[in-house]
Amino acid sequence: MYDVLVLGGGPAGLAAALTLGRARKRVLLCDGGVRRNAAATHLHNFVTRDGTPPLEFRRIAREQLAPYDVTVRDVAVETLEGAPDAFQARMGDGTEAKARRILLATGMIDEMPPIPGFRELWGHAIFQCPYCHGWEVRDQAFGFLPRAPEMLEHGLFLQNWSPDLVAFTQGAFEVPAATRARLESAGVRIEERRIERLVPNADGSALEAVELEGAARIARQVLFAVPVQRQTAIVSSLGLEYDAMGFLKLDDQRRTSRPGIWGAGDATVPMQSATTGAAGGMMAAHFLNHELALVGK
Ligand SMILES: Cc1cc2nc3c(=O)[nH]c(=O)nc-3n(C[C@H](O)[C@H](O)[C@H](O)COP(=O)(O)OP(=O)(O)OC[C@H]3O[C@@H](n4cnc5c(N)ncnc54)[C@H](O)[C@@H]3O)c2cc1C
């Protein structure tokens, strides 16, 4: 019987496992599935690890778990049943494990919009977070893809990284007159035609242009977009409560709505980064460990 089963070996799960291992808990961390930054070659804006390849980040984190009673397995948890002190997990390879408590750090799944070329350029020329990748592409020709009127003002924020900005609304919504005037006076162009496809360079590694309906092309090197996200299958299977944005609803001690199950990382918040993920993992682990101490062995 493990004290804690951590689902997910990203920044949130790894930080949680480190905290729990150092608190002398017997931990099983299972990692299998899609990690959010799989398409990115480097992780940025994590203090002491700025510019580290994501897999190197994970390798170091796992290496630093070695002194503790933490078992790391590269396997997905497929089913999870039970209650506090008697959770039972079945893995993708058919093995099983029992644990007293569960910590969900499974991240979110980004749904790629149905724009030809988007998936291929995601993480290379299309980014979600300018704090993560804006510096590397500063002053290039930016586009961004607002999905709703309130996302238009993102253009003003992106001007921290480039003055050359086009908002591609694809005619998905009416642009409010006041917002249009504000953006245009700040130098942000608004393009409302539908995007036909994204045109990559010869070797497919970079963006050259955004092709619109009618074959017009607007030269762009970088796009920023916030894809719709969904929870992983295992989280969706647990009957948990979500907030209005679809993130796991947590109480002030990072507990989900189901007794014995805690949450951390991207699955729980719209402000998503390796740093916030690791911070959430540490906090959830702290509160979980605190509860185990109160209830005793
Ligand atoms: C393209 C891209 C680039 C990014 N670049 C940066 C950056 O430079 N800097 C930065 O701070 N942030 C960056 N981010 C954001 C950052 O990657 C995430 O915020 C962070 O990884 C969240 O950590 P997490 O642990 O919550 O989730 P994740 O890192 O996504 O980890 C979740 C893990 O859970 C596993 N999992 C899922 N289901 C199961 C299951 N059933 N059983 C077991 N394991 C499971 C997955 O395989 C995955 O490894 C980037 C995001 C994207 C999309």
Side-chain angles (χ1 to χ4, degrees):
M1 170 79 76
Y2 290 95
D3 291 314
V4 185
L5 168 61
V6 177
L7 280 74
L14 288 163
L18 183 62
T19 302
L20 291 164
R22 290 177 53 78
R24 310 181 73 180
K25 293 295 163 298
R26 188 161 182 251
V27 179
L28 174 63
L29 183 151
C30 290
D31 187 42
V34 183
R35 62 189 165 88
R36 270 208 67 223
N37 61 3
T41 54
H42 295 89
L43 172 91
H44 290 283
N45 201 29
F46 191 104
V47 65
T48 78
R49 290 283 172 259
D50 190 30
T52 305
L55 289 179
E56 175 66 359
F57 177 91
R58 288 181 173 221
R59 187 196 64 73
I60 296 167
R62 285 184 178 207
E63 188 178 270
Q64 294 189 344
L65 291 173
Y68 312 110
D69 192 359
V70 178
T71 303
V72 178
R73 295 195 56 206
D74 286 310
V75 70
V77 176
E78 290 214 326
T79 62
L80 189 59
E81 290 169 351
D85 292 327
F87 284 106
Q88 182 143 345
R90 175 177 276 272
M91 319 302 173
D93 63 2
T95 56
E96 294 188 349
K98 291 187 167 68
R100 298 181 64 197
R101 298 288 184 276
I102 304 294
L103 199 156
L104 299 174
T106 42
M108 292 293 272
I109 296 170
D110 293 305
E111 302 275 15
M112 298 291 106
I115 300 173
F118 190 100
R119 181 179 295 279
E120 293 77 4
L121 290 164
W122 175 243
H124 308 291
I126 308 175
F127 305 105
Q128 170 164 359
C129 160
Y131 291 112
C132 303
H133 303 285
W135 173 263
E136 283 64 40
V137 295
R138 61 194 181 281
D139 293 331
Q140 295 188 12
F142 281 19
F144 71 107
L145 276 55
R147 287 189 274 108
E150 58 275 16
M151 294 168 94
L152 274 165
E153 291 188 352
H154 200 53
L156 302 174
F157 164 72
L158 286 171
Q159 285 187 320
N160 283 293
W161 291 274
S162 176
D164 182 0
L165 272 159
V166 179
F168 294 94
T169 69
Q170 303 204 74
F173 53 86
E174 196 76 32
V175 178
T179 312
R180 183 186 296 278
R182 183 136 185 258
L183 289 187
E184 286 179 353
S185 74
V188 179
R189 285 177 282 157
I190 299 176
E191 176 52 65
E192 294 177 81
R193 285 175 284 180
R194 197 170 51 80
I195 296 176
E196 203 68 57
R197 68 180 184 113
L198 303 178
V199 185
N201 67 351
D203 69 6
S205 61
L207 177 67
E208 269 188 10
V210 175
E211 188 171 302
L212 304 169
E213 57 189 333
R217 284 189 180 185
I218 299 187
R220 293 290 95 185
Q221 294 165 287
V222 176
L223 294 181
F224 282 86
V226 182
V228 173
Q229 295 188 319
R230 65 181 158 85
Q231 293 283 352
T232 57
I234 188 72
V235 167
S236 304
S237 74
L238 297 174
L240 301 169
E241 287 178 22
Y242 303 99
D243 66 18
M245 295 176 76
F247 297 106
L248 280 174
K249 200 168 175 180
L250 303 182
D251 70 8
D252 59 1
Q253 302 207 347
R254 311 281 153 163
R255 287 179 286 229
T256 69
S257 54
R258 190 165 153 185
I261 304 183
W262 275 254
D266 283 7
T268 66
V269 277
M271 171 106 195
Q272 299 173 338
S273 73
T275 304
T276 51
M282 190 276 166
M283 284 193 283
H286 157 73
F287 286 119
L288 189 166
N289 188 46
H290 196 247
E291 189 193 279
L292 279 177
L294 293 184
V295 297
K297 293 227 183 278

